[in-house]
Amino acid sequence: MRRHHWVLGSVVLICLAAYASHVFAQDREALKAFETVQKVFQSPRCQNCHIPGDSPLQFDAGVPHAMNVVRGLDGKGSAGLPCATCHAQSNPPASYGPNAPPGAPHWSLPPATHRMAWIGLPPDRLCAMIKDRSSNGDRDFAALIKHVSDDKLVLWGWNPGGNRAPVPVPHDIFVTQFKQWADAGGPCPVAES
């Protein structure tokens, strides 16, 4: 009888170890995928509008926006100078020059109620913010995947026009990596001390 318990206990331990190894490998792959997510979210195309304050940034260098442009409560600029004053529904023709105001549908910043400011955040805090429904526009993983896959303003980052560098990761690879991270439950990197 003791031998039977020992064998059964050994089998259970082996199964638990195999399961733990599988989960660890899955988390490791998801964390690797999150590195791609971070690279995209913290590129100039994304973080110029995902700002901690109320003045957007512009250009690849992320300099403060000219003309004292501000977020406004809804993220669409001030009452006297909405974003749509200069930013149209699409990029202007190349003949307008390399620094003409770019355009995409619903050009705006995140509203003041959920700024989603990513500039300078370490990976663990960026990860937590992306998943936090109180700061991400009340989006679950399915809504986040749809947002990064289909939103016209998000897609603009891969075709920014002018002399702006596009997001540094191809969109299809980014979406695949985002889904892999999300499908694993969105594990976050551990903060470095």
Side-chain angles (χ1 to χ4, degrees), residues 2 4 10 20 55 77 93 98 106 116 125 134 136 142-143 145 152 163 180 190 192:
R2 281 189 176 150
H4 176 70
S10 296
S55 297
H106 69 90
M116 296 182 285
R125 290 189 41 218
S134 70
N136 76 8
I145 290 168
K152 300 293 186 202
N163 57 1
Q180 182 178 354
V190 176
E192 294 183 20

Side-chain angles (χ1 to χ4, degrees), residues 6-184:
W6 183 84
V7 170
L8 183 59
S10 296
V11 169
V12 168
L13 286 175
I14 289 169
C15 289
L16 286 173
Y19 177 74
S21 176
H22 170 74
V23 168
F24 180 72
Q26 185 181 25
D27 278 355
R28 189 172 57 241
E29 290 172 15
L31 289 170
K32 183 79 173 150
F34 182 75
E35 291 176 11
T36 300
V37 172
Q38 178 186 8
K39 185 175 186 177
V40 169
F41 276 42
Q42 291 184 322
S43 74
R45 295 295 69 80
C46 297
Q47 70 179 12
N48 277 356
C49 294
H50 288 273
I51 52 170
D54 286 317
S55 297
L57 305 175
Q58 61 186 123
F59 307 118
D60 293 343
V63 298
H65 199 296
M67 299 176 291
N68 297 318
V69 170
V70 295
R71 177 191 309 274
L73 289 177
D74 62 359
K76 296 177 181 169
S78 66
L81 186 60
C83 302
T85 301
C86 298
H87 296 280
Q89 293 289 307
S90 62
N91 285 330
S95 62
Y96 281 47
N99 293 322
H106 69 90
W107 193 275
S108 63
L109 302 172
T113 54
H114 57 272
R115 297 167 188 261
M116 296 182 285
W118 303 325
I119 297 171
L121 285 183
D124 61 311
R125 290 189 41 218
L126 174 65
C127 178
M129 180 179 284
I130 292 169
K131 298 187 313 180
D132 181 358
R133 291 179 72 155
S134 70
S135 69
N136 76 8
D138 196 29
R139 292 180 176 106
D140 61 10
F141 280 128
L144 287 169
I145 290 168
K146 181 167 180 43
H147 180 65
V148 302
S149 299
D150 301 334
D151 186 280
K152 300 293 186 202
L153 183 53
V154 171
L155 293 173
W156 169 85
W158 282 268
N159 185 25
N163 57 1
R164 298 166 199 88
V167 172
V169 176
H171 185 253
D172 60 332
I173 292 173
F174 164 63
V175 170
T176 299
Q177 295 293 290
F178 194 98
K179 286 179 181 176
Q180 182 178 354
W181 170 71
D183 288 347

